Amino acid sequence: MQRAPVRFAVVGLGHIAQVAVLPAFAHTQSDACLSALVSDDPVKRRVLSKRYDVRHTYTYRAYDTCLRSGEIDAVYIALPNSLHREFAVRAAKAGIHVLCEKPMAVTAADCRAMTRAADRYKVKLMVAYRLHFETCNLRTIKLAQSGTLGDLRLFHSVFTQQVRPGDVRLKQHLGGGPLYDIGVYCINAARYLFRDEPIEVSAFVGGGDRRFQTVEEAASVLMRFPHDRLATFTCSFGATDETMYDIIGTKGRVRVEPAYEYVGGLTAAVTINGKTKVETFKAGDQFAPQLIHFASCIRRNREPEPNGVEGLIDVQIIEALHQSARTGKPIALLLPRKRTRPDMRLAMHYPPVPKAKAVRTTSPTL
């Protein structure tokens, strides 16, 4: 007998929810379905509920009513970072599974509270690392671990963009700043390519125009991994669009560029013994695989990958980077160990979603 799809409420109807999350349900119909929308904007609720044929809509004040309505099994939290803990813990207490946008939260303490709540109330908790399901990145992981590149030595990445003035990502009290929003991709990529955790980090921040009153414009980072492996990256909210990473070994290297985008295809250039081969990966829907994987974990009572530990480790690293920037000193780390890492078994590909007309929201970037 075919099981009913897992019913989701999408909490927060900002840009990422409207252009990526909501359209992705068109690819998940047998696994996950969109059952409710939560937002304080009545126009968004009205227009989007009609567009996606969603009967149930709620304000944030009515969130607990939504959770206890019997109409949903899970939430996809797409709120500002500072609200992730509150809305995740409330869902867990109601017995509702939680798929939360990254970063998992603003502090490690918040991440641990979310994990404890999920464990206590026996619900699944997953952090939305969409690239854990994306073929280009997973193929690069496989190649890096195969020995073809030799002993892995260096990781280097750049992720920059121009953020629109007034965007929530420029507000410290909402958990904004480039390390939380885009630096997390670089951190996570270094970790899944090295299959290890950094033992020491340093950060330098600076620059800025009138947009950057409470958060840094840019951060340059050095992370030291076991076996003398080094990872460096720079992220910025005040530079032209760039997204790439290199993983370099004793015999070869791979450059993925663009590396972290969810619109358009990705390209990997593999250089071995001076010869370069370029492979282009088709554009796809990177959000549907997350929904499908999470729904499968709920149905089969399995631990999601990426789970709460994955989210916690990245936030611990970001906290240490901010501490290093404040003190001007490297920060030693002792991080949890992960039993599982992303690999090709997670690979899924669906065609790109149709472009969705945004309702009362704009792209965060210029």
Side-chain angles (χ1 to χ4, degrees), residues 18-97:
Q18 291 195 36
V19 304
V21 181
L22 298 181
F25 283 96
H27 292 140
T28 70
Q29 293 173 351
S30 63
D31 300 281
C33 66
L34 180 60
S35 294
L37 302 173
V38 183
S39 171
D40 269 354
D41 189 317
V43 175
K44 290 180 181 179
R45 294 198 306 269
R46 174 173 54 80
V47 174
L48 296 172
S49 64
K50 183 177 181 180
R51 180 182 298 174
Y52 294 101
D53 192 24
V54 177
R55 292 174 52 195
H56 309 293
T57 67
Y58 299 88
T59 64
Y60 295 132
R61 291 186 64 181
Y63 180 57
D64 290 321
T65 301
C66 172
L67 296 173
R68 293 176 169 81
S69 65
E71 297 155 358
I72 65 167
D73 308 300
V75 291
Y76 190 113
I77 296 176
L79 294 164
N81 302 334
S82 60
L83 298 176
H84 289 182
R85 171 182 175 169
E86 176 192 346
F87 280 76
V89 170
R90 287 164 69 183
K93 287 181 177 179
I96 299 298
H97 305 284

Side-chain angles (χ1 to χ4, degrees), residues 153-310:
R153 306 308 305 153
L154 302 171
F155 170 90
H156 175 65
S157 184
V158 175
F159 195 178
T160 59
Q161 53 192 221
Q162 287 284 3
V163 172
R164 191 180 301 277
D167 188 77
V168 295
R169 297 189 299 170
L170 299 176
K171 299 177 181 179
Q172 185 183 50
H173 70 283
L174 295 178
L179 281 169
Y180 281 117
D181 192 78
I182 55 179
V184 68
Y185 286 91
C186 310
I187 294 167
N188 201 252
R191 292 178 50 239
Y192 62 60
L193 287 162
F194 282 154
R195 313 302 258 189
D196 214 336
E197 311 300 350
I199 56 177
E200 184 180 87
V201 297
S202 298
F204 306 88
V205 301
D209 54 36
R210 288 187 298 175
R211 288 174 292 174
F212 305 102
Q213 299 298 310
T214 63
V215 300
E216 68 275 10
E217 177 196 329
S220 288
V221 168
L222 170 64
M223 300 191 293
R224 186 160 64 89
F225 282 76
H227 311 296
D228 293 321
R229 294 172 172 176
L230 296 176
T232 59
F233 72 86
T234 297
C235 58
S236 174
F237 276 168
T240 193
D241 286 357
E242 178 63 49
T243 164
M244 58 73 65
Y245 69 70
D246 279 322
I247 181 73
I248 302 171
T250 54
K251 297 179 181 179
R253 68 186 290 178
V254 182
R255 169 168 287 204
V256 178
E257 185 176 16
Y260 309 118
E261 299 289 351
Y262 65 86
V263 177
L266 279 65
T267 298
V270 181
T271 301
I272 307 290
N273 296 325
K275 296 181 180 180
T276 300
K277 180 180 179 181
V278 178
E279 185 173 3
T280 298
F281 296 81
K282 292 181 180 179
D285 174 3
Q286 295 182 9
F287 288 77
Q290 299 180 121
L291 296 166
I292 291 168
H293 175 73
F294 191 52
S296 175
C297 291
I298 292 169
R299 289 168 157 180
R300 300 182 182 184
N301 193 26
R302 293 179 177 176
E303 181 72 5
E305 203 312 298
N307 59 13
V309 175
E310 184 79 358

